């Protein structure tokens, strides 16, 4: 979808704009681990096998990053990691999600989680065998990427 097409789509579906921009905040405030039905609903939204994920995520992305280019290549695990949804990340890893898949959202799920400083998700991905790819358009250089990842790991170690 092009930015103009997303804008047109949002105009036709007014509630989509609000829902896309605020779904992540609302779902982060819930206790998905205590409500299997809610977790399953969240995983439906995150399903990269349908157009739903890319549609709402593009609306979300434009809403929170108006000057950035659209994300075209993204997986459920990347989005869940970017949002810090550790319960969803755990479930996705159990259901054969490729933890090392590469895409437009910070390169990998691990990079997305590190960029957003989601320490628990970073730790989960590394413990599951995620390979550290230090690339992605958000990182200016390898040192910046390594520094972001290192700060997540150090903070996690200090809290353990």
């Amino acid at each position: 979808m092009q930015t103009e097409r997303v804008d047109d789509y949002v105009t036709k579906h007014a509630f989509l704009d609000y829902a896309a921009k605020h779904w992540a905040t609302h779902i982060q405030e819930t206790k998905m681990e205590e409500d299997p039905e809610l977790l399953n609903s969240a995983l439906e939204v995150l399903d990269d096998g349908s157009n739903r994920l890319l549609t709402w995520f593009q609306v979300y992305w434009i809403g929170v990053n108006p000057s950035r280019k659209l994300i075209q290549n993204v997986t459920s695990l990347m989005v869940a990691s970017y949002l810090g949804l550790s319960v969803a990340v755990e479930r996705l890893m159990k259901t054969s999600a490729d933890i090392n898949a590469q895409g437009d959202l910070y390169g990998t799920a691990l990079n997305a989680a590190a960029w957003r400083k989601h320490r628990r998700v970073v730790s989960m991905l590394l413990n599951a065998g995620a390979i550290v790819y230090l690339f992605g358009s958000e990182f200016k250089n390898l040192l910046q990427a390594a520094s972001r990842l290192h700060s997540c790991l150090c903070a996690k170690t200090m809290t353990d």
Side-chain angles (χ1 to χ4, degrees), residues 77 81 86 89-101 109-110 119-132 153:
L77 187 59
S81 297
S86 58
V89 167
E90 182 177 33
R91 175 74 72 86
L92 290 166
M93 288 191 305
K94 287 180 182 177
T95 58
S96 72
D98 181 359
I99 61 173
N100 294 309
L110 180 59
R119 294 172 180 92
R120 182 171 182 210
V121 174
V122 166
S123 181
M124 291 168 63
L125 291 166
L126 288 172
N127 289 337
I131 297 170
V132 179
L153 295 175

Side-chain angles (χ1 to χ4, degrees), residues 55-81:
T55 300
W56 84 258
F57 192 71
Q58 286 181 339
V59 174
Y60 167 83
W61 191 252
I62 289 172
V64 298
N65 301 298
S67 62
R68 292 242 178 76
K69 74 174 193 160
L70 280 177
I71 299 292
Q72 299 292 332
N73 180 16
V74 68
T75 67
S76 302
L77 187 59
M78 287 176 197
V79 174
S81 297

Side-chain angles (χ1 to χ4, degrees), residues 7-62:
D7 289 340
D8 290 343
Y9 195 77
V10 167
T11 300
K12 292 177 186 169
H13 303 89
F15 186 67
L16 176 61
D17 187 47
Y18 174 85
K21 288 177 184 172
H22 299 284
W23 178 81
T25 302
H26 293 305
I27 203 72
Q28 287 167 336
E29 293 174 359
T30 67
K31 296 187 189 272
M32 281 192 296
E33 65 276 2
E34 297 173 9
D35 187 344
E37 190 174 319
L38 181 61
L39 174 58
N40 289 334
S41 293
L43 291 171
E44 282 182 33
V45 173
L46 292 168
D47 180 11
D48 55 22
S50 75
N51 290 331
R52 186 181 306 126
L53 173 67
L54 191 56
T55 300
W56 84 258
F57 192 71
Q58 286 181 339
V59 174
Y60 167 83
W61 191 252
I62 289 172

